[in-house]
């Protein structure tokens, strides 16, 4: 079956522009996660959605970052006024609701801020 | 808070020889631990997971890991390395129920010498 998909695969933008990154989780998965992989910081958690509960935003690095999940499925990560330090690979993962289930990762979106 | 420390940033082994990738964890409760692998330009893939059942965990592609509470370790091993094992490996700890974000180690790059 289809895995987690992310779009675009690559995004180049200019400093100060806003960007939107999209994640389509595996059908039926109620939990969705965003992570960031960068040279300086490694792999770090950003935000976590579980069903209809309020998202865990504890990993968002600044108020320029926000995410939403519409209809319990597709999620969009928005970065406003991008900075060069936002350059990274943004990874999305999803899992079945029950605790203990594997998180399946998408291929990521490589963001480059010039 | 939980964390993992990968003791080697880079490991090189000859094809056909054993692989050992070291990971130590820190957690105030019984942790759920994972090893993920990331091949170049590919997504993260789960190798194996420990969730308080058997302390010796077998994963895909001949890898296994042993949970040792007395040593707070979760080292990844494979008896005989294959060229296709060349990749980045991440030791990961998961949060408790209701806060299931993953915390990643800094990664170990495995190089296989022909």
């Amino acid at each position: 079956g289809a895995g987690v998909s992310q779009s675009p695969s690559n995004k180049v933008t200019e400093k100060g522009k806003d960007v939107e990154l999209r994640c389509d989780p595996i059908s039926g998965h109620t939990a969705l996660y965003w992570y960031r992989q960068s040279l300086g910081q490694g792999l770090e958690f950003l935000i976590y959605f579980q069903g209809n509960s309020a998202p865990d935003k504890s990993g968002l690095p600044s108020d320029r970052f926000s995410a939403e999940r519409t209809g319990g499925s597709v999620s969009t990560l928005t970065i406003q006024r991008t900075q060069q330090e936002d350059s990274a690979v943004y990874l999305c993962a999803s899992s079945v609701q029950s605790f203990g289930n594997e998180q399946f990762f998408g291929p990521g979106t490589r963001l480059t801020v010039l | 808070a939980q964390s993992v420390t990968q003791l080697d940033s880079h490991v090189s082994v000859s094809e056909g020889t054993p692989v050992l990738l070291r990971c130590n964890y820190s957690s105030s409760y019984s942790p759920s631990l994972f090893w993920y692998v990331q091949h170049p330009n590919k997504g993260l893939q789960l190798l194996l997971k420990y969730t308080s059942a058997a302390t010796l965990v077998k994963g895909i592609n001949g890898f296994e890991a042993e949970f040792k509470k007395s040593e707070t370790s979760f080292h990844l091993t494979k008896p005989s390395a294959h060229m296709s094992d060349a990749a980045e490996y991440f030791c990961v700890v998961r949060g408790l129920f209701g806060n299931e974000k993953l915390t990643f180690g800094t990664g170990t790059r495995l190089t296989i010498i022909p």
Side-chain angles (χ1 to χ4, degrees), chain A residues 14-105:
Chain A
E14 295 179 346
K15 178 181 174 182
K17 301 282 189 180
D18 298 352
V19 295
E20 286 188 350
L21 312 179
R22 177 188 169 104
C23 171
D24 282 272
I26 294 172
S27 178
H29 282 193
T30 57
L32 187 147
Y33 310 77
W34 283 98
Y35 297 88
R36 178 170 72 173
Q37 186 173 24
S38 59
L39 283 177
Q41 302 298 323
L43 260 159
E44 53 183 346
F45 164 79
L46 295 177
I47 187 169
Y48 160 43
F49 296 90
Q50 173 57 66
N52 295 321
S53 301
D56 176 355
K57 304 179 183 179
S58 61
L60 295 179
S62 79
D63 59 7
R64 296 186 295 105
F65 288 71
S66 63
E68 63 177 19
R69 190 176 184 194
T70 54
S73 180
V74 172
S75 177
T76 302
L77 178 69
T78 301
I79 309 173
Q80 296 178 309
R81 306 181 302 282
T82 53
Q83 304 294 313
Q84 288 184 332
E85 61 262 30
D86 299 335
S87 296
V89 176
Y90 289 82
L91 296 166
C92 177
S94 71
S95 69
V96 176
Q97 181 177 5
S98 300
F99 180 70
N101 284 289
E102 175 186 352
Q103 293 183 24
F104 293 84
F105 282 82

Side-chain angles (χ1 to χ4, degrees), chain B residues 27-39:
Chain B
S27 178
S28 55
Y29 52 86
S30 182
S32 292
L33 295 163
F34 307 78
W35 278 96
Y36 277 82
V37 61
Q38 187 176 39
H39 287 92

